[in-house]
Amino acid sequence: MSPFRSHMDIALAEAEAAALRGEVPVGAVLVDPAGQIVARAGNRTRELADPTAHAEILVIRSACAALGSERLPGHDLYVTLEPCPMCASAISQARIARVYYGASDPKSGGVAHGPRVFSHPQSHHIPEVYDGIGEGEAERLLKDFFLARRR
Ligand SMILES: [Zn+2]
């Protein structure tokens, strides 16, 4: 299995765990320049009563705390859904090298949609972005979650 797929599989497992907690099923994994996973998380906005507790923010906070640095150069972020504008901005602030995401998010995404944070002239750091990795599974998790909530 390619590292891209196996890291995304862990992000998908975090998304599934988030769904079981009643959170929007989004998961993220942060990988250091040596290829080691340094943080993994799913959304915890409800549990923490914190609108900023998106999976991406949680892994960035955790990795920065462990490293004692506000920047994560050379790190790769895997996330099951296109990052929102808040997370895209945090990814840029953290100087993350590469972002791999699964499903696209026309409604709330901030990378390929909406403000397109990384293409904005105010973005001082632009990561490499790879989309559509594990897309089908990520979409299925989100669809099932929102269907179940509507019932
Ligand atoms: Zn976000």
Side-chain angles (χ1 to χ4, degrees):
M1 200 190 289
S2 79
F4 311 110
R5 226 15 256 263
S6 59
H7 289 143
M8 189 57 86
D9 285 343
I10 293 167
L12 286 163
E14 288 291 340
E16 264 185 278
L20 293 175
R21 297 191 301 268
E23 303 276 356
V24 174
V26 178
V29 168
L30 199 54
V31 179
D32 74 8
Q36 297 300 311
I37 291 173
V38 290
R40 50 188 286 179
N43 275 14
R44 290 187 183 273
T45 56
R46 296 180 67 183
E47 179 191 329
L48 301 176
D50 177 358
T52 73
H54 288 187
E56 301 96 308
I57 301 287
L58 295 176
V59 293
I60 289 170
R61 278 193 187 134
S62 162
C64 284
L67 207 63
S69 166
E70 83 276 38
R71 290 184 181 168
L72 301 166
H75 285 61
D76 296 345
L77 177 76
Y78 292 80
V79 57
T80 58
L81 183 67
E82 176 183 344
C84 74
M86 171 183 74
C87 291
S89 184
I91 288 163
S92 180
Q93 302 284 345
R95 306 289 191 269
I96 286 169
R98 280 165 294 271
V99 177
Y100 299 87
Y101 72 79
S104 84
D105 187 0
K107 199 170 148 237
S108 306
V111 175
H113 299 93
R116 297 173 204 269
V117 169
F118 302 137
S119 323
H120 196 279
Q122 282 186 340
S123 186
H124 300 302
H125 170 81
I126 302 165
E128 291 172 37
V129 176
Y130 303 91
D131 61 2
I133 297 160
E135 185 179 15
E137 179 73 358
E139 271 173 6
R140 189 188 60 73
L141 281 169
L142 286 159
K143 221 171 268 172
D144 290 353
F145 178 76
F146 287 110
L147 270 178
R149 292 229 302 191
R150 250 177 252 134
R151 255 176 232 136

